[in-house]
Amino acid sequence: MFSDLTVNQKHGSESSPYVIFVVLSPAQIIAMTTQASSLEDFLGDFRSTVVNATERLRAISADESARRSSPDKWSIKEVLGHLIDSAANNHQRFVRAQFTDDLVFSGYEQEKWVDVQRYIDESWSDMIQLWSSYNLHLLHVISAIPEATLMRARIRHNLDQIALHPVDQRDPTTLDYFVRDYLVHMKHHLDQIFAPQDS
């Protein structure tokens, strides 16, 4: 279902004893910067990504979503489960970041979260609905953050550990950067899900 190249992205940057580096294209990296697009454009991209992916996910059968190419690789259903976990963890991060001067957050054990929740046994249609609704809510949450809060420089952060595209701990960053990184992470895993259909 996935090639070895793509599926070894049970990525463990938050909790795993090893680090898997995700190679981003220049366009992806530029898209994460505040210069790349206005907040309005970013929010529009976020919404269209979720809406379009929801329709494409619904076109995948339950049997196909649960199929693994090998025992140590996530199925499509488990990749989507990981994206649900990402939404849940980043929801509280985006809210808490509005009450603090830093961007320091706990990580989570991504593979264990997927395993213990047994996404492989959950209703595929329910998972799609949960992922879609949760991310539309996150879109609302982000749209409600004041621009000054989004753009305020944060000296203390651990985006060198929890961001898909890390920020050196010595460099300041912003909540704007972090929410854009979330969307890049989402697109990265959606690309994994849809790649076999696009090939």
Side-chain angles (χ1 to χ4, degrees):
M1 182 162 296
F2 294 125
S3 69
D4 289 341
L5 180 63
T6 58
V7 171
N8 286 337
Q9 300 299 331
K10 288 179 165 185
H11 64 79
S13 60
E14 290 196 359
S15 59
S16 222
Y18 57 89
V19 175
I20 296 176
F21 292 98
V22 177
V23 178
L24 300 179
S25 70
Q28 284 176 305
I29 294 172
I30 291 171
M32 290 168 52
T33 68
T34 56
Q35 291 78 20
S37 62
S38 67
L39 179 61
E40 182 179 356
D41 288 342
F42 166 73
L43 295 174
D45 184 26
F46 196 123
R47 178 177 293 279
S48 64
T49 297
V50 174
V51 171
N52 293 337
T54 299
E55 293 306 308
R56 296 185 70 186
L57 289 167
R58 286 175 176 153
I60 298 173
S61 71
D63 286 345
E64 184 182 357
S65 74
R67 194 175 303 126
R68 291 176 177 147
S69 60
S70 69
D72 63 337
K73 294 177 181 176
W74 280 342
S75 64
I76 287 176
K77 184 181 280 190
E78 289 167 316
V79 174
L80 190 66
H82 168 61
L83 287 179
I84 292 170
D85 294 342
S86 176
N89 278 272
N90 283 289
H91 180 192
Q92 56 89 20
R93 291 168 174 170
F94 297 162
V95 172
R96 291 175 189 275
Q98 299 180 64
F99 312 139
T100 65
D101 293 326
D102 60 49
L103 293 178
V104 178
F105 305 108
S106 298
Y108 66 104
E109 296 181 279
Q110 298 171 2
E111 293 193 32
K112 289 183 179 179
W113 275 56
V114 170
D115 290 342
V116 301
Q117 293 177 85
R118 296 196 60 80
Y119 283 119
I120 198 71
D121 297 327
E122 190 165 358
S123 162
W124 176 232
S125 60
D126 287 351
M127 287 182 65
I128 296 170
Q129 185 60 53
L130 174 58
W131 175 80
S132 181
S133 295
Y134 208 154
N135 277 286
L136 290 176
H137 176 63
L138 285 185
L139 174 64
H140 167 75
V141 170
I142 295 167
S143 70
I145 301 173
E147 183 178 4
T149 302
L150 279 170
M151 303 308 299
R152 185 170 74 245
R154 313 296 182 105
I155 305 301
R156 291 186 61 246
H157 66 84
N158 63 341
L159 269 58
D160 58 315
Q161 300 173 39
I162 65 172
L164 178 69
H165 189 61
V167 178
D168 193 293
Q169 196 173 39
R170 296 167 295 184
D171 296 331
T173 190
T174 64
L175 181 55
D176 180 82
Y177 179 92
F178 193 36
V179 299
R180 290 171 187 263
D181 181 77
Y182 173 79
L183 181 58
V184 173
H185 171 266
M186 180 199 298
K187 289 182 174 183
H188 167 70
H189 284 296
L190 290 173
D191 285 347
Q192 287 183 333
I193 289 173
F194 298 131
Q197 300 178 26
D198 293 337
S199 60

